[in-house]
Amino acid sequence: MILTEKIRRLTSMPTFHVLLALSAAHCLNDLLQSVITAVYPMLKSDLDINFTQIGLITLVYQLAASIFQPVVGYVFDKRPFVWSLPAGMISTSIGIVLLAFSSSLTGVLIAVFMIGLGSATLHPEASRITSLAGHERRGFAQSVFQVGGNFGGSIGPLLVALIVAPHDRRYVMWFLVFAALCFWAMRPICRWYRGYLNSLKQSQKREERHAVLPLSRGMTIFTICVIIVLIFSKYIYMASLSSYYTFYLIDKFGVSVSQSQIFLFIFVVSTAAGTLVGGPIGDRYGRKPVIWVSILGTAPFSLLMPHVNLPLTVILSFCAGFMLSSAFPAILLYAQELLPTKLGMISGLFFGFAFGVGGIASAVLGDFADRYGVEAIYNFCAYTPLLGIVAALLPNLKKLKTE
């Protein structure tokens, strides 16, 4: 009875400090990940490499950061490891050191592989722990976690410009300060997770392993395929905004580089706000309505944007970013609820797939822009949110739970 009561209290007690620590760790991890692309100009001049070799660096990083995510999630679903997050940050830290001092393309490839492997460890594990620590408010928890990553990824290039660019590539070593802060942020996470695992081990049961799947195997596979289509539609349009928005504004409206960066920052703020809102709304009204409204609801803004003036373009980009970003916490939680015994693997699969789609879309859209002009990107990608209509095929899991 005492042990049962302890487990009950552990799984219902507030864990906001853990969620904040997870968000901070995500922020610092994604900040370190963003260093890679930010130092591309320095790598090109230092090592005298061409754009094809730059593409190879990107490919190695994306493969490590995306393909290994579901593998890591699957392994730690089977054998949970308290120190998984620090282990991932050790890999990232080694990569940062190698990136600062490598004098050959091979050394840089090893560096970005290590950094990518660190990301592949943190994302599925931290997302799984976030779901566990969120309890009944998993949507809110995932939103808090995602906002940290959004913020870190946006300020990383700025810090590279301030710390590294005025000097030389060796100054990348200063980013180990952020790695140290990340290790510190992981302390309360590991402490809480160790207590969680110990209590479940002492009770000789795992709640996840006894969870009942809400759908049949065939329907689960079909539903995951629908979710993949939704992620595909979301990240193609997000790639067009995150990678080419500044070029679009400069080309179409003649704004300066500094002005375009300000407008890009407004878009980044919209994605953070949307991410923070999407999870809690999903907790209240269910994941399906949020997914449906977020992706399909982006279409009016995306379709109008290529045909309006500069002020309206900025407003519409904010609305599109806000709407579209609110979808990912709901999508991730929906997928986790489909397979509650595989939280890490599902997190890794969808983080990895989202990352891979975004990277491939950026490359394809770059070639598209070279051929047809940057404005053509937005005339084409404006239609991708219409794929959100397939959200109608998603079963309503919240309704199934109440039946």
Side-chain angles (χ1 to χ4, degrees):
M1 288 294 294
I2 296 176
L3 185 58
T4 301
E5 179 63 19
K6 181 180 179 181
I7 295 172
R8 189 196 66 78
R9 287 189 285 106
L10 186 62
T11 56
S12 61
M13 65 192 304
T15 52
F16 290 106
H17 69 290
V18 177
L19 297 180
L20 291 176
L22 284 159
S23 182
H26 194 191
C27 171
L28 293 164
N29 175 82
D30 283 19
L31 185 157
L32 293 170
Q33 303 291 316
S34 68
V35 170
I36 295 175
T37 53
V39 299
Y40 275 175
M42 304 183 80
L43 289 172
K44 191 174 187 301
S45 60
D46 290 349
L47 305 180
D48 192 27
I49 57 179
N50 55 37
F51 285 113
T52 300
Q53 291 168 318
I54 290 288
L56 178 62
I57 294 171
T58 303
L59 177 63
V60 170
Y61 168 68
Q62 289 180 342
L63 288 176
S66 58
I67 290 178
F68 282 97
Q69 285 202 40
V71 176
V72 170
Y74 178 79
V75 169
F76 289 130
D77 277 337
K78 291 288 187 180
R79 295 182 179 275
F81 179 48
V82 172
W83 306 107
S84 56
L85 297 184
M89 187 47 57
I90 289 173
S91 178
T92 297
S93 300
I94 294 172
I96 290 294
V97 174
L98 292 174
L99 189 64
F101 293 104
S102 293
S103 58
S104 66
L105 177 61
T106 301
V108 171
L109 293 177
I110 295 173
V112 299
F113 179 85
M114 295 299 293
I115 295 172
L117 188 61
S119 178
T121 302
L122 181 131
H123 282 106
E125 275 295 274
S127 180
R128 180 159 65 91
I129 296 172
T130 296
S131 290
L132 296 174
H135 307 308
E136 292 83 6
R137 301 186 65 187
R138 289 187 171 188
F140 168 77
Q142 287 292 338
S143 289
V144 172
F145 174 67
Q146 294 293 335
V147 164
N150 290 346
F151 181 71
S154 64
I155 65 172
L158 175 62
L159 292 174
V160 169
L162 294 174
I163 298 171
V164 184
H167 306 284
D168 58 58
R169 185 158 49 95
R170 291 174 298 176
Y171 276 71
V172 168
M173 283 288 291
W174 281 102
F175 281 83
L176 290 179
V177 172
F178 298 104
L181 290 173
C182 195
F183 281 117
W184 181 78
M186 289 173 179
R187 291 175 59 197
I189 303 170
C190 295
R191 191 181 305 119
W192 180 87
Y193 192 39
R194 179 171 54 193
Y196 180 90
L197 293 177
N198 286 342
S199 295
L200 292 180
K201 184 177 180 180
Q202 292 170 16
S203 69
Q204 296 182 345
K205 66 179 181 180
R206 304 275 182 139
E207 291 183 2
E208 296 95 335
R209 292 180 181 177
H210 293 284
V212 177
L213 299 183
L215 302 174
S216 66
R217 182 177 180 180
M219 192 62 185
T220 298
I221 294 173
F222 171 78
T223 304
I224 289 177
C225 290
V226 172
I227 296 174
I228 288 174
V229 172
L230 292 170
I231 289 179
F232 185 79
S233 68
K234 168 181 161 57
Y235 279 95
I236 287 180
Y237 192 68
M238 287 296 285
S240 73
L241 285 171
S242 60
S243 298
Y244 300 102
Y245 185 48
T246 55
F247 297 105
Y248 173 74
L249 295 175
I250 293 169
D251 184 69
K252 184 170 183 177
F253 301 109
V255 303
S256 66
V257 174
S258 59
Q259 287 175 322
S260 71
Q261 292 296 325
I262 292 173
F263 296 140
L264 179 62
F265 178 75
I266 293 172
F267 167 72
V268 171
V269 169
S270 77
T271 62
T275 300
L276 192 59
V277 168
I281 293 179
D283 286 338
R284 185 176 180 89
Y285 299 105
R287 317 294 175 202
K288 180 178 177 178
V290 173
I291 296 170
W292 173 272
V293 173
S294 296
I295 298 181
L296 188 60
T298 304
F301 307 115
S302 65
L303 290 168
L304 280 173
M305 200 173 78
H307 310 290
V308 297
N309 57 23
L310 177 60
L312 282 176
T313 295
V314 175
I315 293 171
L316 291 173
S317 70
F318 181 93
C319 295
F322 180 87
M323 292 292 291
L324 209 52
S325 296
S326 64
F328 191 73
I331 289 173
L332 182 61
L333 265 295
Y334 186 97
Q336 288 183 343
E337 289 168 0
L338 280 177
L339 293 169
T341 62
K342 305 292 183 184
L343 297 183
M345 186 189 74
I346 285 294
S347 298
L349 176 65
F350 283 96
F351 271 112
F353 183 73
F355 188 88
V357 167
I360 293 171
S362 293
V364 172
L365 290 175
D367 181 69
F368 191 85
D370 286 337
R371 292 173 180 268
Y372 304 106
V374 71
E375 191 172 342
I377 290 177
Y378 292 91
N379 287 311
F380 169 74
C381 292
Y383 294 92
T384 58
L386 292 174
L387 287 173
I389 197 169
V390 303
L393 302 176
L394 295 175
N396 192 328
L397 298 184
K398 186 173 183 179
K399 184 177 179 180
L400 291 175
K401 288 180 180 179
T402 60
E403 290 179 351

